[in-house]
């Protein structure tokens, strides 16, 4: 290859193969990415078929994965027309395998979704490989048409990338939405069973049972006391500690921060026995105070790290200017640093509240009386070894999750600011 471009940026027409080397249709570029993604998804589907022990599904999905892999390997590069026909043939095989797998009258929504990850990529490949633009590119095109193709690529690239990104995002959202839809359906369905079609019946009897139960309100009161107490005690300790670690140098500072980080690496269950012995010695079993102290100590290291990262971003020049104006260290902290740190304090408070609201293990061990149960322990008591009350459990789960959703909606702005506040220093 002697020359690739002319001085004016146009493709050199002296080399007849230069057009293919400089121009690749956007369809081929996208197929290289999307077929790889389709192969990975079909491998996940294959794992699901193995768990279901569906022999037919295993064979068809396995063959489909092979056809998509070979199709991607054989995608044309503009140098040989046989690659296009070979890739087209294996894509057609994958399409046929997907359609054959639909030859069953008893298919669920999952079955249609899993088959779709074989049928749609294969059908798209067949459609694009049989298009006139791909056929012309594989047989050789002129420089002028290659330039037009590059312009076309630029127009379509944003749209096609958006389609691919949104497809993956929809699947990510579905992983969160589907369990919520399922548990809501159980909560509004008659009886206490997990089966049945979604939306086949509607009743509010489970919510009436839960809201009319005095025990549920006792659990709610206990959770509110423990969560609010943990938040207040945790903030009163974490805020000054985070500021001290950020602004002052003292003996053992690095070792203390390393110890805070090290504590987070170990599961909480390893401190269960020491915690229990301490609470028993102090007479704090079956009390809200005991849980508040335990939760505050557990969440303190991470809260200190979060607040220290934000305090590091507050310019020291502001404090120095305030000191020149005669402010004391406490005045600087309360009148300058703390108001600027409200987003970080809000996210730390939210973290402390939710940690206490959702914690199960310590509440189960420290409290043996039903009158001292928090909501997670109370919900677990609704699923005994016999006579499961799945409908009541689902309704209670929705009611317990509602305050969390409300808090996230109210503090959404502070949440985003607090999470990104310590990302960049300065």
């Amino acid at each position: 290859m002697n020359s690739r471009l002319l001085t004016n940026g146009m493709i050199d027409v002296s080399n007849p193969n230069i057009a293919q080397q400089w121009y690749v249709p956007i369809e081929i570029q996208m197929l290289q990415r999307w077929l790889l993604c389709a192969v990975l998804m079909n491998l996940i589907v294959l794992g699901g078929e193995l768990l279901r022990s569906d022999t037919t599904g295993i064979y068809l999905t396995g063959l489909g994965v092979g056809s998509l892999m070979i199709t991607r390997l054989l995608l044309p590069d503009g140098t040989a027309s046989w690659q296009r026909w070979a890739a087209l043939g294996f894509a057609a095989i994958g399409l046929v395998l997907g359609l054959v797998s639909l030859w069953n009258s008893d298919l669920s929504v999952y079955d249609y979704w899993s088959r779709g990850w074989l049928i749609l990529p294969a059908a798209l490949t067949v459609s694009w490989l049989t298009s006139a633009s791909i056929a012309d590119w594989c047989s050789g095109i002129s420089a002028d048409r290659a330039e037009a193709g590059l312009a076309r690529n630029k127009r379509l690239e944003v749209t096609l990338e958006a389609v691919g990104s949104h497809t993956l995002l929809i699947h990510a959202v579905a992983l969160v939405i589907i369990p919520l839809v399922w548990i809501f359906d159980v909560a509004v369905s008659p009886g206490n069973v997990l089966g049945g079609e979604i939306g086949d019946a509607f009743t509010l009897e489970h919510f009436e049972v839960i809201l009319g139960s005095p025990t549920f309100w006792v659990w709610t009161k206990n959770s509110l006391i423990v969560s609010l107490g943990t938040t207040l005690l945790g903030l009163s300790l974490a805020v000054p500690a985070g500021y001290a670690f950020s602004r002052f140098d003292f003996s053992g500072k690095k070792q203390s921060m390393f110890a805070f980080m090290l504590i987070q690496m170990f599961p909480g269950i390893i401190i269960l026995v020491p915690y229990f012995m301490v609470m028993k010695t102090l007479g704090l079993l079956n009390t809200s105070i005991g849980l508040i102290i335990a939760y505050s100590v557990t969440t303190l290291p991470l809260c200190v790290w979060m607040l220290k990262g934000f305090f590091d971003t507050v310019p020291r020049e502001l404090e120095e200017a305030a000191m020149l104006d005669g402010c004391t260290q406490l005045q600087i902290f309360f009148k300058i640093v703390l108001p600027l740190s409200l987003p970080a304090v809000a996210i730390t408070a939210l973290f402390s509240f939710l940690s206490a609201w959702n914690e199960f293990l310590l509440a189960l061990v420290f409290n043996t009386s039903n009158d001292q149960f928090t909501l997670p322990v109370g919900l677990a008591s609704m699923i005994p070894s016999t006579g499961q009350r799945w409908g009541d459990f689902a309704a209670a789960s929705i009611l317990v999750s509602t305050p969390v959703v409300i808090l996230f909606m109210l503090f959404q702005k502070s949440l985003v600011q607090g999470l990104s506040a310590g990302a960049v220093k300065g």
Side-chain angles (χ1 to χ4, degrees):
M1 184 182 302
N2 297 324
S3 61
R4 295 196 173 189
L5 294 177
L6 294 176
T7 57
N8 61 357
M10 306 295 287
I11 296 178
D12 185 3
V13 296
S14 63
N15 190 338
N17 294 325
I18 196 70
Q20 278 86 350
Q21 297 175 11
W22 278 93
Y23 164 62
V24 177
I26 189 65
E27 292 89 344
I28 299 298
Q29 299 178 36
M30 290 300 164
L31 284 177
Q32 291 174 348
R33 306 177 193 176
W34 292 357
L35 286 177
L36 179 60
C37 181
V39 168
L40 295 176
M41 292 299 298
N42 277 279
L43 288 175
I44 296 175
V45 172
L46 181 59
E49 299 296 339
L50 290 172
L51 292 176
R52 297 200 304 177
S53 300
D54 187 349
T55 305
T56 303
I58 293 173
Y59 284 124
L60 290 176
T61 305
L63 292 174
V65 170
S67 68
L68 292 179
M69 292 178 63
I70 296 175
T71 300
R72 187 182 184 278
L73 293 174
L74 293 175
L75 286 176
D77 56 7
T79 59
S81 60
W82 65 267
Q83 292 177 322
R84 169 174 166 263
W85 292 108
L88 184 59
F90 279 99
I93 292 174
L95 179 59
V96 172
L97 290 171
L99 294 175
V100 170
S101 64
L102 292 177
W103 196 265
N104 190 340
S105 59
D106 188 19
L107 294 178
S108 63
V109 175
Y110 168 80
D111 293 321
Y112 285 108
W113 169 82
S114 61
R115 272 61 170 181
W117 271 104
L118 178 57
I119 295 174
L120 294 179
L124 187 63
T125 303
V126 171
S127 175
W128 279 353
L129 290 181
T130 55
S131 63
S133 60
I134 302 298
D136 292 343
W137 176 69
C138 292
S139 60
I141 59 174
S142 64
D144 293 337
R145 299 189 64 179
E147 291 176 8
L150 289 173
R152 175 176 173 270
N153 284 359
K154 188 175 182 180
R155 292 195 306 270
L156 295 178
E157 184 177 9
V158 175
T159 301
L160 294 178
E161 286 184 349
V163 170
S165 300
H166 281 78
T167 300
L168 294 180
L169 289 175
I170 289 173
H171 280 75
V173 172
L175 291 176
V176 179
I177 296 298
I178 290 176
L180 296 179
V181 173
W182 189 5
I183 195 170
F184 183 79
D185 180 72
V186 174
V188 297
S189 296
N192 285 287
V193 294
L194 293 176
E197 295 291 334
I198 294 180
D200 58 348
F202 181 83
T203 181
L204 295 177
E205 62 181 22
H206 300 301
F207 289 96
E208 295 174 355
V209 170
I210 296 301
L211 294 176
S213 172
T215 306
F216 175 78
W217 295 109
V218 171
W219 299 340
T220 303
K221 181 194 71 175
N222 294 336
S223 288
L224 284 174
I225 293 174
V226 171
S227 300
L228 292 175
T230 301
T231 302
L232 295 176
L233 180 60
L235 286 180
S236 64
L237 296 174
V239 171
Y243 182 73
F245 278 109
S246 174
R247 287 296 188 263
F248 303 107
D249 292 325
F250 51 88
S251 178
K253 175 181 177 180
K254 293 183 178 180
Q255 293 80 357
S256 299
M257 294 303 296
F258 177 76
F260 280 166
M261 182 176 62
L262 188 64
I263 291 173
Q264 298 300 312
M265 299 173 60
F266 295 97
I269 194 173
I270 66 174
I271 61 175
L272 190 60
V273 174
Y275 264 9
F276 182 82
M277 297 302 297
V278 171
M279 295 301 169
K280 182 179 179 181
T281 302
L282 297 177
L284 296 178
L285 296 179
N286 285 314
T287 64
S288 298
I289 299 296
L291 283 180
I292 290 173
I293 295 175
Y295 291 162
S296 299
V297 173
T298 303
T299 60
L300 183 62
L302 185 57
C303 291
V304 172
W305 265 104
M306 293 169 61
L307 290 171
K308 177 188 178 298
F310 184 85
F311 289 139
D312 288 341
T313 66
V314 178
R316 293 176 179 265
E317 289 78 5
L318 295 176
E319 301 178 46
E320 294 172 356
M323 292 183 67
L324 292 176
D325 290 338
C327 292
T328 64
Q329 192 66 53
L330 285 177
Q331 289 175 328
I332 292 173
F333 175 71
F334 284 106
K335 294 184 178 181
I336 297 177
V337 177
L338 193 58
L340 293 175
S341 307
L342 288 181
V345 174
I347 184 60
T348 304
L350 184 61
F351 169 77
S352 299
F353 182 89
L354 294 182
S355 297
W357 184 267
N358 296 322
E359 204 282 328
F360 170 76
L361 186 59
L362 294 179
L364 176 66
V365 174
F366 292 170
N367 294 329
T368 58
S369 172
N370 186 66
D371 293 336
Q372 292 296 326
F373 280 175
T374 57
L375 283 170
V377 181
L379 290 179
S381 67
M382 297 177 63
I383 308 297
S385 57
T386 57
Q388 289 85 352
R389 298 157 53 193
W390 292 115
D392 296 345
F393 178 81
S397 300
I398 293 175
L399 293 174
V400 171
S401 303
T402 301
V404 177
V405 175
I406 295 175
L407 284 176
F408 270 102
M409 293 177 64
L410 293 177
F411 291 96
Q412 182 178 9
K413 184 177 180 180
S414 299
L415 178 64
V416 175
Q417 293 178 351
L419 289 176
S420 60
V424 179
K425 183 177 180 180

